[in-house]
Amino acid sequence: GRDAALASLPTARGRYARRSDEMPPSPSTIKHHPSSVNLELLTSLLREGKEKQLVKFLSKELSCVSMPLAKRLVAELQWAADTPVDTLQDKQIVALYQLLRDATFGNPSASCLSPVGEYNMRLGIIKELRPDLVATHQESACVVEGHPAVIEAGVCLGGRDAKPGITVYRFANRIPLLFEGGGDVATVVSKKRIAWANYKIRHTQDKIGVFVSLVSTKVPFKGTGKEYIGDDIPEVREAVKRAIEKCCLQLKAKIVKQRALADEREKKKNLTKYIPDVSRALIGMMSQLAEAGGEAGGGRQR
């Protein structure tokens, strides 16, 4: 039977040591942002909400909507301020939905997200790859169709089993994305939109690891497979680019410092190498000058 078949399967055992004791922040619950609700969700909220008047529903069931703003929205639709929610017809709900899509609201809070954090990302990269240099950066929250999103990035140089060129590691809500990486925003930005030479990095020769993590209440996947995030969302694309460039700036400072120290060591090495020869040459010159001076003094005495 099924149990016997499962029992006959080999048991895979693995051990992953804990690298960090710092947990990511716990997410908090927030209300739906007006720009994020679709028609189906808006209808459900209207039908199941506790508020009976439309203005109270808008100001209490949705985020970033104050009572004055709720009244202006209802007035824009030319409805009464005390319009009961349960009297709205389908056409009226569609009109309200269109207004919410067209209106401008404040950005939603990112407290509902739980990103990995720069500290944990750095420790994870060091643990798994053991790179020569590593830098991490967390961008401030951006908004994609009313949903908050936080982009984190890490860039490392060198490392165990690393290959020359750019290797991209992608994560969505802290889950690794393993397939269809060629069209992902992290891959496209890393390989086509970053001027690596400006940061003293040779993108075809150096062993570069690029890590990009996106956390959001709605990850903007492309297609039904949910395997990659497209490069056609400006907010995400620019946030990924900024995060990677911030990491590259950190690495550039470290690379410049390393090269300066290497140049200093090379100067000392060259001085140490040539000092004996220079010393012998100087001693020879001084000896010749001393002999010439002695002969000149003896000639004057005669």
Side-chain angles (χ1 to χ4, degrees):
R2 178 176 178 274
D3 294 339
L6 291 175
S8 65
L9 292 175
T11 303
R13 295 183 179 181
R15 181 170 181 173
Y16 296 90
R18 181 187 293 273
R19 185 62 182 88
S20 172
D21 293 323
E22 181 176 313
M23 293 292 292
S26 299
S28 60
T29 302
I30 64 171
K31 299 174 183 177
H32 293 283
H33 191 270
S35 300
S36 70
V37 295
N38 54 36
L39 182 58
E40 182 180 355
L41 177 58
L42 178 61
T43 303
S44 176
L45 292 174
L46 287 167
R47 298 289 184 255
E48 300 174 5
K50 297 179 181 179
E51 300 301 329
K52 303 302 180 183
Q53 292 185 356
L54 183 56
V55 289
K56 290 185 178 181
F57 165 82
L58 293 173
S59 62
K60 294 185 178 181
E61 296 294 334
L62 301 178
S63 65
C64 303
V65 180
S66 61
M67 181 59 75
L69 178 56
K71 291 180 178 178
R72 290 201 302 271
L73 291 172
V74 174
E76 182 73 20
L77 293 168
Q78 298 181 355
W79 297 347
D82 57 351
T83 299
V85 171
D86 55 6
T87 63
L88 294 178
Q89 302 299 316
D90 290 344
K91 290 184 178 180
Q92 292 176 304
I93 295 176
V94 171
L96 176 60
Y97 165 72
Q98 292 293 346
L99 178 62
L100 294 180
R101 298 293 292 181
D102 296 337
T104 302
F105 302 93
N107 291 340
S109 170
S111 62
C112 59
L113 304 178
S114 181
V116 175
E118 290 187 48
Y119 175 75
N120 285 332
M121 177 176 279
R122 180 186 296 271
L123 290 183
I125 294 173
I126 293 173
K127 174 179 177 291
E128 295 300 323
L129 298 184
R130 298 179 184 176
D132 302 322
L133 295 174
V134 61
T136 56
H137 177 75
Q138 182 183 102
E139 271 290 296
S140 56
C142 63
V143 181
V144 182
E145 296 182 353
H147 294 274
V150 172
I151 305 293
E152 299 172 294
V155 179
C156 67
L157 297 178
R160 181 178 55 188
D161 301 327
K163 299 178 181 179
I166 301 172
T167 304
V168 181
Y169 303 86
R170 305 168 294 125
F171 303 84
N173 282 345
R174 308 202 317 235
I175 297 174
L177 303 177
L178 304 178
F179 305 103
E180 300 185 38
D184 192 275
V185 60
T187 304
V188 175
V189 169
S190 299
K191 296 187 177 182
K192 296 183 179 180
R193 304 184 189 277
I194 302 297
W196 294 98
N198 293 344
Y199 305 100
K200 311 295 184 182
I201 300 174
R202 301 165 297 179
H203 69 282
T204 58
Q205 302 176 36
D206 293 336
K207 300 174 181 179
I208 308 169
V210 178
F211 298 77
V212 176
S213 172
L214 181 147
V215 292
S216 178
T217 51
K218 183 181 179 182
V219 178
F221 288 116
K222 295 288 286 186
T224 57
K226 296 185 177 182
E227 292 293 347
Y228 74 102
I229 300 166
D231 184 54
D232 57 347
I233 305 172
E235 298 88 352
V236 176
R237 182 178 63 241
E238 294 305 315
V240 170
K241 186 173 185 290
R242 285 195 303 270
I244 294 176
E245 288 176 339
K246 292 291 180 62
C247 294
C248 291
L249 279 174
Q250 298 177 42
L251 291 178
K252 180 181 178 180
K254 296 177 182 179
I255 292 171
V256 169
K257 185 176 180 180
Q258 281 189 348
R259 290 182 181 177
L261 291 174
D263 291 342
E264 188 67 24
R265 287 194 297 268
E266 185 66 21
K267 290 179 181 178
K268 290 182 179 179
K269 180 181 177 181
N270 291 335
L271 286 174
T272 304
K273 178 180 179 180
Y274 294 111
I275 279 176
D277 295 336
V278 174
S279 300
R280 284 192 292 269
L282 289 174
I283 291 174
M285 291 176 60
M286 294 177 67
S287 298
Q288 292 177 2
L289 289 173
E291 291 176 0
E295 291 177 357
R300 285 194 296 270
Q301 290 178 359
R302 288 194 298 269

